[in-house]
Amino acid sequence: MKLDAGKVFSIVKENCPLRGCTVSKEIEGGSNPIIVFSLDKNTDISPEIFSEHKFLLLHEGDLEIYGREEEKKREDLKGRTVLSSGESVLCRIDEPVGMCTETGAVYTEINLRREDIMNEVIKAGEVFRLKDLLPYGEGKIVNMDVVHNEKMKFVLMAFDEGTGLSEHAAPGEAIFFALEGEAIINYEGTDHTIHAGEQFHFAKGGRHSVKALGKFKMALLLTLE
């Protein structure tokens, strides 16, 4: 991944929109490319038809997903999908997909193949919040695989207060998304406090542990290319 390992960072702060521009930055290639987009206010990406799913995680701003230019111009929202900060959507395949924003937007796009195994709770075209997909369990850590294949896994975890993961090594590179609450990540012997809305990058083989500070939810995007 084209990220520095071993530190807390913010996708939003590192990808501020440029005036009048749309900007894309690939942070992982391979069979499931991961791209960060920043769109300035009142900009858009014209609709195109894709043979693979696009999984969008909106970090900041607003983002409208539309199928055709005439849909974007309609005053009502029927047939359109609008995301707010913290929301996600799995775009439909073989249909035109365009994005536009009124206030500006920063989001991560994960490209998923048709054959990738998707959790049945995810429905194409439906807006949702990752943190709302799984509950807390008293004294437990709750896990949910969102999507996976032989080279990639995207998983959610909910930590009850006082729970955590003991030190282990990452089998591949990974991005850690803090969704709710805060936690301490010990990476290669150094503690880092991470809060909701922040991210962390693990290098392959990087030794780390996680300790929740109160209730805590996270997403982990692991690549094994």
Side-chain angles (χ1 to χ4, degrees):
M1 289 184 182
K2 301 170 186 177
L3 297 169
D4 293 331
K7 69 173 186 178
V8 176
F9 69 100
S10 168
I11 286 177
V12 171
K13 292 180 180 179
E14 294 187 5
N15 296 275
C16 295
L18 299 179
R19 186 175 180 182
C21 298
T22 64
V23 181
S24 62
K25 177 183 178 181
E26 184 180 83
I27 58 176
E28 177 70 15
S31 56
N32 294 101
I34 304 167
I35 306 169
V36 174
F37 285 86
S38 61
L39 280 62
D40 194 23
K41 61 183 180 180
N42 298 318
T43 61
D44 73 346
I45 299 174
S46 299
E48 295 180 353
I49 297 175
F50 300 95
S51 60
E52 298 181 342
H53 288 291
K54 291 183 177 293
F55 192 103
L56 308 183
L57 295 78
L58 181 60
H59 305 293
E60 184 172 82
D62 71 89
L63 188 68
E64 180 180 325
I65 314 300
Y66 65 99
R68 296 173 177 82
E69 287 294 338
E70 59 268 24
E71 290 181 2
K72 184 177 67 171
K73 296 174 183 177
R74 289 172 54 179
E75 293 183 359
D76 64 273
L77 297 180
K78 186 177 180 180
R80 292 152 54 182
T81 302
V82 180
L83 278 69
S84 300
S85 296
E87 293 183 331
S88 298
V89 70
L90 178 69
C91 297
R92 295 185 175 91
I93 57 175
D94 297 330
E95 295 183 12
V97 176
M99 297 85 166
C100 62
T101 177
E102 292 185 355
T103 64
V106 178
Y107 65 93
T108 295
E109 175 185 289
I110 307 169
N111 289 272
L112 306 176
R113 302 172 300 176
R114 290 174 184 262
E115 62 268 29
D116 293 341
I117 301 172
M118 181 73 62
N119 194 303
E120 63 182 12
V121 303
I122 307 297
K123 308 297 183 184
E126 294 185 2
V127 177
F128 59 91
R129 291 182 180 271
L130 288 171
K131 67 178 183 178
D132 294 338
L133 294 182
L134 76 172
Y136 289 106
E138 185 175 351
K140 301 174 183 177
I141 301 173
V142 179
N143 294 266
M144 174 187 287
D145 279 3
V146 177
V147 62
H148 68 275
N149 59 37
E150 71 281 0
K151 296 293 186 180
M152 178 272 295
K153 174 176 277 194
F154 188 46
V155 60
L156 303 178
M157 303 181 74
F159 295 76
D160 195 24
E161 184 174 0
T163 62
L165 300 175
S166 59
E167 186 179 69
H168 59 285
E173 291 193 84
I175 305 176
F176 183 116
F177 299 85
L179 303 176
E180 184 172 81
E182 59 181 329
I184 294 176
I185 299 172
N186 182 282
Y187 185 82
E188 296 290 346
T190 301
D191 283 344
H192 305 267
T193 302
I194 188 167
H195 306 86
E198 296 178 327
Q199 292 79 39
F200 198 94
H201 175 218
F202 299 128
K204 182 178 180 179
R207 301 199 64 82
H208 61 279
S209 62
V210 180
K211 181 180 179 182
L213 299 176
K215 292 181 180 296
F216 177 69
K217 289 184 179 180
M218 56 164 279
L220 186 71
L221 180 57
L222 176 67
T223 62
L224 301 169
E225 296 284 356

